[in-house]
Amino acid sequence: MELSDELYGRIEELSEKGNEAMDSEDYAKAITCFREALDILPEPKEDWDAYLWLVGSIGDARFLMQDYGKSLESFRKCYNLGETDNPFILLRLGENYLELGDETHAREFLLRAYMLEGKKIFKEDRKYFQWLSGQVDLKRD
């Protein structure tokens, strides 16, 4: 099952606008674009590949807005779709959990991201690596 060329083109266009807004740090506009693209996906939305990256993009924008609860909801949806070994999703889950004060889940997901990607997964914000390395004896790389 594939999206029509017209629908795929529109989703791609909205996604690009969302990415441009992310680059400009206009996260609210990015969310609007990603949601609009999500809204035009046929039901069941979860069956489409685009669903995963749109929900993840919304979660990423929410994270960058420091709306950790809503960001966590988005990344939990991605995780529950079977994305259990996606380093970025694991990272954002761990970061959100830590920001929300759930250190047990934060340690679990940050460690899993680290095990898949190493220290480089933390290049955007070293504070999460520093926190994790204070919790777990990590091999330095």
Side-chain angles (χ1 to χ4, degrees):
M1 198 164 68
E2 291 188 17
L3 297 172
S4 70
D5 289 343
E6 181 181 327
L7 187 56
Y8 181 80
R10 182 69 181 135
I11 289 169
E12 200 170 57
E13 178 185 319
L14 288 165
S15 296
E16 186 54 39
K17 282 184 180 179
N19 290 335
E20 289 170 7
M22 291 287 284
D23 291 343
S24 300
E25 298 181 7
D26 187 350
Y27 305 123
K29 180 179 178 182
I31 290 169
T32 298
C33 293
F34 296 136
R35 275 209 179 116
E36 192 175 332
L38 195 57
D39 287 346
I40 62 175
L41 270 179
E43 293 290 342
K45 295 180 185 305
E46 296 84 3
D47 288 352
W48 300 100
D49 290 339
Y51 178 83
L52 177 67
W53 47 265
L54 290 168
V55 171
S57 295
I58 291 168
D60 193 33
R62 290 282 186 201
F63 179 81
L64 295 169
M65 293 173 76
Q66 300 178 347
D67 187 351
Y68 303 117
K70 288 193 179 189
S71 177
L72 180 62
E73 286 176 30
S74 292
F75 283 105
R76 289 292 312 170
K77 287 178 184 177
C78 295
Y79 185 82
N80 290 337
L81 282 174
E83 290 297 310
T84 58
D85 61 354
N86 181 310
F88 181 72
I89 290 171
L90 296 172
L91 175 69
R92 281 291 192 249
L93 283 167
E95 291 170 334
N96 279 304
Y97 277 122
L98 186 59
E99 295 295 344
L100 293 168
D102 184 340
E103 292 187 357
T104 301
H105 282 104
R107 185 172 31 259
E108 173 191 346
F109 287 103
L110 291 174
L111 183 57
R112 289 173 60 193
Y114 173 80
M115 290 170 67
L116 289 168
E117 289 289 313
K119 194 158 84 170
K120 68 183 176 197
I121 191 79
F122 297 97
K123 68 181 186 240
E124 296 296 318
D125 195 337
R126 306 285 299 163
K127 83 176 189 178
Y128 299 104
F129 178 76
Q130 291 169 345
W131 180 84
L132 182 62
S133 62
Q135 301 291 309
V136 180
D137 185 23
L138 301 175
K139 173 184 99 63
R140 303 288 177 191
D141 52 69

